[in-house]
């Protein structure tokens, strides 16, 4: 029974991981770059939430979308003011630029909030649980999983059914030719970065409801997000979901067997996947 | 002119211990260690086009290799420095088959994850002193009076040596092949450059130098802990020192390191404001002066000599 | 009316097109011929704003020279690019809908493009990346038509296609001629076919206009010499 519970916990944790990976996978798919500051955007969203709650104590249901929209704006601004300027054939400048942003944001958070750990108070259901045939499942992780799945379905719907989603996929296929369709790819890139920041921030806030975070938690989140997209593979958002769930289960089992392991087993899984299946469990063949 | 200037400069740097106080000497050692590390990183990223975000792994392993080998075999710490380089290069050799399937961001973050694995393992294993770290037991064989001075000279030798080796490599046909590979892999292959072999060599050399620099650093501090050895701050410093100075240029890391430490000493910021400023400076340089201080210097020299860019 | 005057094009340091000028009236077709690397695609790219240019491009009196590529597309320039450049992960229908994204009104929509190329209607839900070369060419042309363009630019229409498929594509293009005010530039390897389907021709050699005139009054010997760069003696 304890293993069923471990598995279940792993899956719920994995849902959150998948959400961290989703935003990174999205920008990688469209722009072929990664955002090293992805973790800081996630953690930054949570810290922004701390500030808002400190001023006006609003419930989580309102807080979550408000911060998400703000972070969308920040992502859009970062892309259009900075990252778009260094996009080109050479992948190194955007990588270094986002690395710089990550260091800048991390230390800004340290200065503004201190290095102490904090968490978001999820309210009464933070401790509530339901009993599923002898298994006790926390209401909060269940909520997290529900939000995650909702976001995945919504994103999939947007990408496959809407004109905006079609334009995103077309831009990913051939960013030069979309210009002949009247599309300014820089605008699309900025919207996608906004979306990625939004997803990261929601994941960051959900994380902060279940565990305490510090300004230094961003780097860890980046590595998790990265591992999710390598394990799952690129090419579809379901690959991110699979990658997240697998990583979550591996962490849960690792934690059960060896409580001091931290992220170790996830890291090792990453190297194994790179060695035996570099395109990921569900990924399409990578072009590079 | 530089034929006389450079040896003179090195000679002056050699004589520094007789002119500077203990504190300044320690700072000098720190600067020289960072120059050596940044040269190693620049070799891989700037000349080789292989961006690493995991060089702190090589630095940490180099430091630990020195502490462990001197503890267990009685090898003299100064002689253990090259050994530390070999251990780090060996680690690179081991990681290459996994990481060389990757490009760009995958390679960079894959290396970062490898460094994380090392940190976690070293923290948990008693052989390496686990989370408590370990003192340099062999320090009792060293002359206390000269320890600081010797560390400075070792760092100087390493910084000059690494710079010289990178210079030699880039003048050789190997350097041409490496840069051809960075600029256009398809074209480089078509003229017979073997990508794997060239990249493996440069990866191992870069890792080896980083390991030696890590060994010198922890030799001078006499104590090593996993947190200090595998600190991401190493990586941040190397990257931004190189970017600020000028990535892919031989004098880039040197200019960057000097400016970096000058600012740190003068501004006296708290460490997080300092890192914030470093990140911001890096972002601004990438956006507006992608060739860094070295590029700026070229422009100025070109203006005065009206003869195009130097070197 | 499309007026191109003293147009130069550059790829970085490489000067690909020198001082090309021509004018095209509504409803007319211009065939651009020339050997490989003569600058044909550069000319189309310069009209779209995909490459760096010097000189002037005017469409119905409006100066397009300083407009971005998306703005030119909205002004009515559409391109069926060399190599077809499918959005491979999009279905055929989605590729066509991308063409309509510029939002210009006119006769072309999914059903009229489907009538021109019936196979596209049949394969509407297939990923465009899985189609044959000929079918992809039809998607590329259909996608450009979906923009309801004032100027249609067709690059390398039959490159790499089986003769019978090329025939089919050209038959469809022949239906377009003279039916509307749309102006067409066609780049085609097969010179006779290009001339047969156009009103004017322009022959490029090493980026320069070496010969031009009316397609139905061409001297093939002179054109052949111009094409290969032999002096007209």
């Amino acid at each position: 029974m304890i293993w069923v519970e471990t598995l279940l916990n792993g899956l719920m944790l994995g849902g959150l991981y998948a959400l961290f990976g989703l935003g990174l996978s999205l920008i990688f798919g469209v722009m072929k770059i990664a955002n090293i500051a992805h973790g800081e955007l996630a953690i930054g969203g949570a810290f922004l939430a701390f500030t808002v709650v400190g001023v006006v104590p609003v419930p989580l249901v309102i807080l979550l979308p408000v911060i998400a929209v703000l972070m969308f704006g920040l992502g859009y601004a970062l892309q259009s003011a900075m990252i778009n300027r260094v996009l080109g054939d050479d992948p190194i400048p955007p990588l270094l630029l986002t690395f710089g942003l990550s260091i800048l944001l991390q230390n800004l958070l340290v200065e503004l909030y201190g290095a102490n750990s904090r968490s978001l108070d999820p309210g009464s259901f933070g401790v509530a649980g339901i009993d599923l045939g002898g298994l006790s499942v926390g209401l909060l992780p269940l909520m997290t999983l529900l939000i995650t799945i909702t976001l995945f379905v919504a994103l999939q719907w947007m990408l496959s059914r809407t004109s905006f989603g079609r334009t995103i996929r077309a831009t990913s296929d051939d960013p030069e030719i979309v210009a002949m369709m009247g599309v300014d790819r820089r605008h699309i890139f900025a919207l996608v970065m906004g979306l990625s920041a939004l997803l990261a921030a929601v994941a960051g806030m959900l994380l902060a409801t279940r565990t305490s975070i510090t300004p230094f938690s961003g780097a860890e989140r980046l590595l998790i997000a990265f591992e999710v997209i390598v394990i799952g593979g690129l090419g579809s958002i379901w690959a991110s979901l699979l990658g997240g769930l697998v990583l979550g289960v591996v962490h849960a089992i690792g934690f059960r067997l060896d409580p001091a392991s931290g992220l170790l087993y996830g890291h090792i899984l990453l190297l194994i996947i790179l060695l035996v299946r570099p395109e990921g469990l569900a990924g399409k063949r990578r072009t590079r | 002119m530089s034929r006389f200037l450079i040896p003179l400069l090195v000679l002056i740097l050699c004589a520094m211990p007789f002119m500077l106080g203990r504190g300044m000497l320690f700072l000098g050692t720190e600067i020289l260690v960072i120059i050596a590390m940044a040269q190693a990183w620049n070799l891989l990223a700037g000349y080789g086009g292989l961006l690493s975000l995991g060089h702190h792994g090589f630095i940490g392993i180099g430091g630990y290799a020195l502490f462990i080998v001197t503890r267990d075999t009685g090898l003299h710490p100064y002689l253990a420095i090259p050994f530390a380089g070999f251990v780090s290069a060996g680690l690179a050799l081991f990681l290459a088959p996994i990481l060389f399937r990757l490009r760009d961001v995958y390679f960079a973050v894959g290396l970062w994850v490898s460094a994380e694995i090392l940190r976690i393992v070293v923290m948990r294993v008693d052989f390496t002193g686990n989370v408590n770290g370990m003192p340099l037991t062999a320090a009792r064989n060293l002359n206390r009076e000269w320890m600081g001075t010797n560390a400075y000279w070792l760092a100087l030798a390493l910084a000059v040596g690494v710079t010289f080796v990178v210079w030699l490599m880039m003048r050789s046909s190997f350097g041409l092949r490496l840069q051809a590979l960075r600029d256009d892999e398809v074209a480089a292959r078509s003229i017979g450059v073997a990508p794997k072999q060239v990249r493996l060599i440069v990866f191992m050399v870069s890792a080896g130098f980083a390991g030696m620099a890590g060994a010198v650093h922890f030799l001078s501090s006499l104590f090593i802990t996993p947190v200090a050895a595998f600190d991401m701050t190493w990586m941040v410093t190397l990257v931004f020192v190189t970017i600020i100075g000028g990535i892919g240029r031989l004098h880039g890391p040197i200019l960057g390191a000097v400016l970096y430490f000058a600012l740190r000493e003068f501004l006296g910021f708290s460490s997080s404001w300092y890192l914030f400023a470093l990140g911001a400076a890096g972002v601004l340089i990438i956006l507006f002066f992608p060739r860094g201080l070295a590029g700026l210097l070229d422009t100025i020299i070109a203006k005065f000599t009206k003869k195009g860019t130097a070197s | 009316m499309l007026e191109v005057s003293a147009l130069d094009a550059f790829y970085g340091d490489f000067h690909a097109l020198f001082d090309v000028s021509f004018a095209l009236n509504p409803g007319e077709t211009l065939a651009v011929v020339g050997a490989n690397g003569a600058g044909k695609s550069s000319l189309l790219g310069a009209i779209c704003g995909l490459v760096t240019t010097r000189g002037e491009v005017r469409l119905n009196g409006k100066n397009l020279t300083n407009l971005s590529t998306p703005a030119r597309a909205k002004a009515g320039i559409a391109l069926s690019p060399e190599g077809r450049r499918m959005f491979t992960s999009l279905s055929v229908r989605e590729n066509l809908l991308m063409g309509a994204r510029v939002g210009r009104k006119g006769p072309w929509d999914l059903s009229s493009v489907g009538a021109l190329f019936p196979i596209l209607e049949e394969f509407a839900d297939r990923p465009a990346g899985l189609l044959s070369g000929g079918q992809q060419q039809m998607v590329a042309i259909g996608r450009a038509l979906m923009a309801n363009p004032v100027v249609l630019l067709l690059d390398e229409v039959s490159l790499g296609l089986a003769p019978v498929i090329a025939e089919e594509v050209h038959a469809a293009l022949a239906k377009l001629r003279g039916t509307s005010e749309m102006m067409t530039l066609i780049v085609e390897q097969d010179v006779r076919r290009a001339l047969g389907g156009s009103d004017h021709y322009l022959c490029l050699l090493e980026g320069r206009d070496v010969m031009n005139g009316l397609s139905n009054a061409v001297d093939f010997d002179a054109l052949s010499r111009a094409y290969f760069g032999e002096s007209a003696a």
Side-chain angles (χ1 to χ4, degrees), chain A residues 31 33 79 82-90 93-94 186 189:
Chain A
M31 292 179 245
I33 61 159
Q79 182 72 34
M82 294 185 189
I83 306 171
N84 272 339
R85 303 172 67 120
V86 297
L87 285 181
D89 292 335
D90 187 355
R186 290 168 304 175
F189 286 168

Side-chain angles (χ1 to χ4, degrees), chain C residues 1-4 7 46-50 53 55-78 104 150-151 153:
Chain C
M1 188 170 181
L2 175 70
E3 296 159 283
V4 167
L7 198 61
I47 294 171
C48 298
L50 288 170
T53 60
E56 216 176 63
V57 178
R58 285 180 169 273
L59 183 58
N60 294 334
K62 187 182 176 195
N63 190 347
L64 303 184
T65 315
N66 294 320
L67 295 185
S68 68
T69 301
R72 293 184 195 208
K74 284 177 184 154
I77 308 261
R104 295 176 54 85
V150 184
V151 176
L153 307 173

Side-chain angles (χ1 to χ4, degrees), chain C:
Chain C
M1 188 170 181
L2 175 70
E3 296 159 283
V4 167
S5 34
L7 198 61
D8 283 38
F10 305 87
Y11 294 94
D13 292 334
F14 179 65
H15 199 162
L17 198 67
F18 301 83
D19 193 28
V20 170
S21 304
F22 64 87
L24 209 55
N25 290 313
E28 287 183 337
T29 298
L30 172 72
V32 182
V33 298
N36 273 337
K40 301 177 304 252
S41 294
S42 308
L43 174 59
L44 301 197
I47 294 171
C48 298
L50 288 170
V51 296
T52 318
T53 60
R54 201 166 60 202
E56 216 176 63
V57 178
R58 285 180 169 273
L59 183 58
N60 294 334
K62 187 182 176 195
N63 190 347
L64 303 184
T65 315
N66 294 320
L67 295 185
S68 68
T69 301
R72 293 184 195 208
K74 284 177 184 154
I77 308 261
L79 171 72
S80 163
E82 182 181 3
R84 299 173 293 256
R85 306 282 284 266
M86 292 291 94
F87 300 125
T88 49
S89 64
L90 271 60
S91 70
V92 168
R93 183 186 290 114
E94 288 176 323
N95 265 275
L96 295 176
L97 287 172
M98 278 307 294
R101 207 181 172 286
V102 291
R104 295 176 54 85
K105 297 271 177 294
W108 296 104
D109 55 22
L110 283 176
S111 68
S112 54
V113 168
L116 185 68
F117 297 117
I119 191 94
L120 300 190
E121 209 145 56
E122 190 180 327
F123 289 168
D125 291 316
R126 291 204 187 176
L130 300 183
L131 300 185
S132 72
Q135 291 158 351
Q136 290 193 356
Q137 186 61 62
M138 294 174 196
V139 175
I141 296 171
R143 189 175 63 183
L145 285 172
M146 289 291 284
N148 286 298
V150 184
V151 176
L152 176 65
L153 307 173
L154 301 169
D155 202 352
E156 298 291 10
V157 174
S158 56
L159 189 67
L161 301 188
V164 55
I165 306 291
E167 195 64 50
E168 203 179 320
V169 172
H170 276 280
L173 291 176
K175 287 187 202 161
L176 298 179
R177 275 192 75 200
T179 57
S180 71
E181 297 282 277
M182 185 170 75
M183 292 165 268
T184 308
L185 260 74
I186 180 165
V187 170
E188 169 61 71
Q189 295 274 306
D190 183 338
V191 175
R192 280 178 193 277
R193 182 175 265 152
L195 292 170
S198 61
D199 306 293
H200 304 272
Y201 69 90
L202 172 68
C203 181
L204 293 174
L205 176 71
E206 290 169 356
R208 290 183 167 84
D209 174 2
V210 285
M211 195 173 165
N212 60 62
L214 288 173
S215 300
N216 57 15
V218 67
D219 172 349
F220 274 99
D221 288 338
L223 180 61
S224 158
R225 282 196 299 273
Y227 188 102
F228 292 110
E230 295 157 16
S231 58

